[in-house]
Amino acid sequence: MRVLLVEDDIGVARALAETLQAHGHSVTAVGRGSDALTRHRDSDLLLLDLGLPDLDGLDVLRKIRQVSPVPVIVLTARDDERSVVRALRFGADDYLAKPVRMAELLARMDAVARRAGGSAPAPKDPVVQIEDVEIDLGARRVVVGGRDIGLTTKEFAVLAVLAARPGTAVSRQQLMDEVWGDAYLAVSRSLDVHMTQLRAKLDRPGLLTTIRGFGYRLGRS
């Protein structure tokens, strides 16, 4: 993959770049958020630090998400829950706190890339209608009460897994496996954050049900 590494610590950037290149990735390292904003289009995946000298990494992520679906893995020393939640809400595909284990980073990069590469549904995918919610799996479009709502890539992916099985209980493990590529690698609270955001955007209480101790169901019982 063409990896854009956004990291202002030269030593960390060099070590990461050497390891990634040893595993066959092409790495471009930059140290400023402004560089990420101008160079992300030439990359297959971004590794984004949040503590940058010119811009906060969360602002960089938010601005990139306004114009591009490029996969982003946040790689930062910030391990507080607020930062994790904000990054996921702004559209991060994954979040790792430093110091990072390289084997885990490489596995997460592969999982994110698999999901990004296989995320486009076949043109003949159906339109799922549940009450006044219309989910077009082919066009990746969701209309609620006649209004087109905007979902992030991950929010739509979660909804699509449930919409493919309307009225059927889907386990948390299956959701994480299909959306993140590997249930073991997925961060469980990532699913919780995306589910909360999805419920808020759908604004249809009771339509997306939590099945305690198991998972979720789309559609009323």
Side-chain angles (χ1 to χ4, degrees), residues 111-126:
V112 167
R114 281 200 306 274
R115 295 310 306 165
S119 61
K124 294 184 179 179
D125 278 347

Side-chain angles (χ1 to χ4, degrees), residues 192-209:
D192 297 331
V193 170
H194 286 89
M195 198 63 71
T196 297
Q197 291 295 103
L198 190 54
R199 282 194 170 109
K201 290 182 178 181
L202 289 173
D203 194 24
R204 292 296 182 270
L207 191 65
L208 184 51
T209 305

Side-chain angles (χ1 to χ4, degrees), residues 6-87:
V6 189
E7 168 63 65
D8 67 322
D9 186 312
I10 297 176
V12 172
R14 182 180 296 116
L16 285 171
E18 288 177 355
T19 301
L20 293 174
Q21 288 166 349
H23 284 81
H25 299 294
S26 172
V27 182
T28 299
V30 298
R32 299 171 62 84
S34 56
D35 295 327
L37 294 177
T38 58
R39 304 185 68 172
H40 69 273
R41 298 182 189 277
D42 298 324
S43 304
D44 300 313
L45 182 142
L46 266 66
L47 296 178
L48 177 65
D49 188 16
L50 298 185
L52 300 172
D54 58 335
L55 297 170
D56 187 273
L58 290 174
D59 290 331
V60 174
L61 173 61
R62 179 177 54 80
K63 291 177 180 179
I64 288 175
R65 272 294 165 265
Q66 291 173 352
V67 298
S68 172
V70 62
V72 177
I73 297 178
V74 170
L75 192 59
T76 181
R78 297 184 199 173
D79 60 356
D80 60 287
E81 184 174 7
R82 183 170 181 268
S83 293
V84 175
V85 170
R86 291 185 70 199

